[in-house]
Amino acid sequence: MTEQAKRGLRSAQWWDNPDNPGMTALYLERYLNFGLTREELQSGKPIVGIAQTGSDLSPCNRHHLDLAQRVRAGIRDAGGIPIEFPVHPIQETGKRPTAALDRNLAYLGLVEVLYGYPLDGVVLTTGCDKTTPAMLMGAATVDLPAIVLSGGPMLDGYFEGELVGSGTVVWEARRRYAAGEIDYVTFMEMVAAAAPSPGHCNTMGTASSMNAMAEALGMSLPGCAAIPAPYRERGQIAYATGRRIVEMVREDLRPSRILTRAAFENAIVCASAIGASTNCPPHVNAIARHIGVELNNDDWDRIGYEIPLLVNVMPAGAYLGEAYYRAGGLPAVVSELMRHGKIRASALTVTGKTIGENHREARILDEDVIRPWERPLKENAGFAVLTGNLFDSAIMKTSVISDDFRERYLRRPGDEDAFEGRAIVFEGPEDYHHRINDPVLAIDEGCLLVIRGSGPIGYPGSAEVVNMLPPDALVRCGVCELPCMGDGRQSGTSGSPSILNASPESAVGGGLALLQTGDRIRVDLKRRRADMLVPEAELARRQAELKLPELVNQTPWQEIYRNHVGQLAEGAVLESAVKYQRVAERFGIPRDNH
């Protein structure tokens, strides 16, 4: 490699800069102390980071500790030098009060590493829910060549001979426990059976959904998202990812060329077709904001609502991750969507080819698991985006509206796709668990459960608590779903058709803050409205008397987070961070440290 070509690498400004030998020596010498050689670091080979999200604290991503060896091999064989570094842990099922706090913290850490260290490109290891948006947000901000390697779902789980999906089984076990059908020990055994191997959720929860979004956005190699974690193909694609990132560095293929408006529209269409998690809109909107693409909740309804549900995977369907992978995974879905003109086929991907070129030959291998367009599980399966006097924007996942829910609430003669209910208001999940079975509330199937104080500022971080089970007495009578609403989120593994992510949240004075138990609420899906049926004069009186809750921060980060975070409809990003885009190009190499 010529000296001029070597100078074109960012890393050479640290490790091979004859114009500044003193600093070059300082930067270089300490990286030799564990066995790297000066010849390697000054060879002109791209230095490729591996953003390691796996750890004992992050079991869904832990196998990335092993997969990194295959990534390293790919980087080496393609002529690069791998440098692995840790990422702040994010584990959805482990972190209190919520892992949503950690998404923005991991994002900040990744930005500092990518910009401030001698890296020419990066492999982003993802898996558990928020690791994927955190990594993509960071890569978007700095804009170095980047590629996503997801960890893949667990193997299918079974309990007493039946498929049980991770996360989804929790809600079913809660129902059975409330109905008195199982005891505590069986509850534990039933849920544990859903996690039989390394990997993230084997349902179409947020993990599977967001890794599919990374692939739909063009940031993963085709087929990456669906490969189960223990399969040999997972190690093989890790190796291919390592090879490809070295080529991307040489091609200077950056996220800003891939994460275009067309790519985000493809992600929305794919989200509807796979029955993706309700966490996808805030996460994908957040990525868009950090790369500088205009995207909002209304786009999810306008672009994605009329897309049919093609993927028959829990919670919207019947199968789990292994069957989905064998049926063709996302490439088969994209190919089917392309066949009907729903994919922006010219969008560029990490392969250096367009999404159309990548998927033109893909096909469905099992039409019960991935349905053809003409025989979907459900028509119009996208997210409905609602507004009204309760909030400016909230979403409802229509692909999980069950026949029972539709029959009970959405088929009133002359007023179809609308329902009214008496509001039962809970001040956070603790209040819900404490009072849901209180007979004084007289909760019946004509009620609508509302939870507030659960948004980004109120919780803090926004909690997955909106999918509330009805009182035990109703569950025992066969009423297993009530309409639910809140300013928090819910797990992507939940099949509840809740109205959630309400923005602005109650803690900042959103309409939910004015609601009182006993008020009537009308939800009209045709008009995309959700309103409390309270006279304007009464609402004005409540507004005048409203006192926002006193928020108690338990850690320094909670205070920083609350002071800077925006609402879920806008991605719940750190608002002060959005102005930092294409940092590597805009600011060049950071100043020396000595």
Side-chain angles (χ1 to χ4, degrees):
M1 178 176 286
T2 67
E3 289 300 313
Q4 184 177 2
K6 288 165 64 175
R7 292 299 163 279
L9 294 172
R10 272 183 103 244
S11 57
Q13 299 300 311
W14 276 259
W15 286 336
D16 195 12
N17 184 1
D19 296 331
N20 195 347
M23 288 308 305
T24 294
L26 181 70
Y27 294 134
L28 183 71
E29 58 93 14
R30 208 55 58 93
Y31 284 90
L32 307 180
N33 73 0
F34 64 95
L36 286 173
T37 67
R38 183 169 64 83
E39 288 74 21
E40 286 177 289
L41 298 184
Q42 294 185 331
S43 66
K45 294 180 178 180
I47 307 299
V48 177
I50 302 173
Q52 179 57 265
T53 58
S55 72
D56 289 355
L57 278 176
S58 302
C60 290
N61 291 34
R62 193 182 186 282
H63 56 298
H64 273 303
L65 298 174
D66 297 323
L67 286 173
Q69 299 307 311
R70 297 299 295 145
V71 178
R72 284 175 174 271
I75 292 170
R76 281 282 184 181
D77 286 355
I81 307 293
I83 297 287
E84 189 173 343
F85 61 88
V87 171
H88 179 81
I90 310 177
Q91 177 59 35
E92 191 64 41
T93 57
K95 174 63 187 288
R96 295 187 180 190
T98 168
L101 280 169
D102 289 1
R103 188 200 72 174
N104 289 352
L105 187 55
Y107 153 77
L108 286 177
L110 182 63
V111 167
E112 291 301 310
V113 171
L114 294 185
Y115 181 58
Y117 280 88
L119 300 174
D120 301 306
V122 64
V123 174
L124 309 167
T125 65
T126 68
C128 188
D129 302 12
K130 293 165 186 64
T131 57
T132 307
M135 296 299 94
L136 285 169
M137 289 157 60
T141 294
V142 182
D143 202 30
L144 294 181
I147 189 171
V148 168
L149 173 68
S150 53
M154 295 181 285
L155 299 178
D156 293 356
Y158 289 88
F159 182 75
E160 296 181 345
E162 300 291 331
L163 277 175
V164 287
S166 51
T168 299
V169 69
V170 175
W171 322 121
E172 173 62 14
R174 284 183 179 178
R175 183 198 66 76
R176 292 190 189 182
Y177 189 69
E181 298 172 6
I182 59 174
D183 59 15
Y184 174 82
V185 172
T186 305
F187 192 130
M188 298 299 115
E189 291 175 346
M190 185 175 175
V191 173
S197 78
H200 59 65
C201 287
N202 48 29
T203 49
M204 194 57 73
T206 305
S208 289
S209 299
M210 278 308 303
N211 287 300
M213 293 298 93
E215 189 176 327
L217 285 167
M219 289 297 294
S220 287
L221 292 179
C224 182
I227 303 170
Y231 280 25
R232 67 183 182 185
E233 291 87 349
R234 178 55 62 189
Q236 290 167 348
I237 205 163
Y239 174 80
T241 298
R243 290 191 64 93
R244 180 57 194 152
I245 186 59
V246 177
E247 296 167 354
M248 290 175 65
V249 170
R250 290 173 174 147
E251 297 164 10
D252 198 28
L253 180 52
R254 299 170 182 248
S256 56
R257 293 179 57 198
I258 297 168
L259 295 174
T260 61
R261 173 71 187 196
F264 285 101
E265 292 185 0
N266 285 337
I268 290 173
V269 170
C270 288
S272 298
I274 67 175
S277 164
T278 51
N279 288 301
C280 286
H283 290 327
V284 174
N285 289 358
I287 298 165
R289 292 193 68 192
H290 283 294
I291 201 69
V293 170
E294 291 291 330
L295 194 76
N296 57 45
N297 276 358
D298 291 340
D299 290 319
W300 287 80
D301 195 323
R302 181 178 57 82
I303 297 167
Y305 178 74
E306 294 183 351
I307 300 298
L309 177 64
L310 303 183
V311 174
N312 189 10
V313 169
M314 298 179 191
Y319 292 97
L320 294 173
E322 287 189 84
Y324 175 52
Y325 171 64
R326 290 195 298 268
L330 192 70
V333 176
V334 171
S335 179
E336 187 69 5
L337 293 168
M338 282 174 57
R339 195 163 65 86
H340 290 83
K342 300 301 181 181
I343 291 291
R344 287 64 171 164
S346 63
L348 186 64
T349 74
V350 292
T351 67
K353 300 178 181 179
T354 66
I355 193 171
E357 292 171 317
N358 289 342
H359 296 94
R360 193 159 286 123
E361 302 304 319
R363 59 191 181 91
I364 298 172
L365 303 177
D366 185 333
E367 291 192 353
D368 191 40
V369 181
I370 300 177
R371 300 288 183 86
W373 179 277
E374 296 81 7
R375 192 169 55 84
L377 274 80
K378 196 167 292 186
E379 302 282 356
N380 300 332
F383 297 103
V385 177
L386 290 79
T387 189
N389 64 9
L390 285 160
F391 38 71
D392 292 341
S393 183
I395 63 172
M396 183 180 191
K397 181 176 176 179
T398 63
S399 64
V400 292
I401 296 177
S402 66
D403 291 340
D404 180 71
F405 187 94
R406 185 170 295 280
E407 188 65 35
R408 196 181 300 272
Y409 297 108
L410 299 174
R411 287 196 175 137
R412 294 194 304 178
D415 196 20
E416 291 81 5
D417 290 328
F419 60 89
E420 294 184 10
R422 177 170 60 93
I424 307 294
V425 183
F426 298 102
E427 307 292 344
E430 295 83 2
D431 185 35
Y432 159 74
H433 289 297
H434 179 66
R435 292 197 300 130
I436 185 61
N437 289 308
D438 188 343
V440 172
L441 294 176
I443 300 174
D444 57 27
E445 58 187 289
C447 291
L448 193 153
L449 306 182
V450 180
I451 192 166
R452 64 189 176 198
S454 301
I457 292 173
Y459 202 67
S462 74
E464 294 187 336
V465 295
V466 181
N467 50 317
M468 294 171 282
L469 192 69
D472 294 354
L474 282 184
V475 174
R476 287 192 290 267
C477 294
V479 180
C480 300
E481 290 180 309
L482 288 177
C484 297
M485 179 183 295
D487 53 11
R489 301 173 296 109
Q490 73 182 32
S491 170
T493 65
S494 169
S496 170
S498 308
I499 297 168
L500 40 74
N501 299 4
S503 304
E505 63 184 294
S506 61
V508 298
L512 285 177
L514 305 180
L515 188 67
Q516 296 180 1
T517 292
D519 289 344
R520 292 197 65 77
I521 292 176
R522 176 176 172 81
V523 175
D524 189 330
L525 296 183
K526 286 183 179 178
R527 296 178 59 233
R528 298 292 198 266
R529 297 281 306 185
D531 296 281
M532 47 185 158
L533 304 180
V534 177
E536 289 296 326
E538 172 61 14
L539 289 179
R541 184 191 66 79
R542 294 180 189 181
Q543 182 70 57
E545 297 177 357
L546 178 64
K547 293 182 179 179
L548 296 180
E550 182 178 348
L551 304 176
V552 178
N553 297 307
Q554 299 164 315
T555 66
W557 171 239
Q558 289 185 13
E559 181 174 357
I560 295 168
Y561 179 93
R562 277 175 159 152
N563 286 341
H564 293 274
V565 75
Q567 292 296 294
L568 284 168
E570 288 79 43
V573 301
L574 301 175
E575 291 293 333
S576 56
V578 174
K579 64 178 177 287
Y580 294 93
Q581 295 174 7
R582 304 189 186 190
V583 166
E585 177 184 356
R586 179 181 172 193
F587 295 110
I589 303 297
R591 64 197 302 184
D592 286 319
N593 61 24
H594 281 72

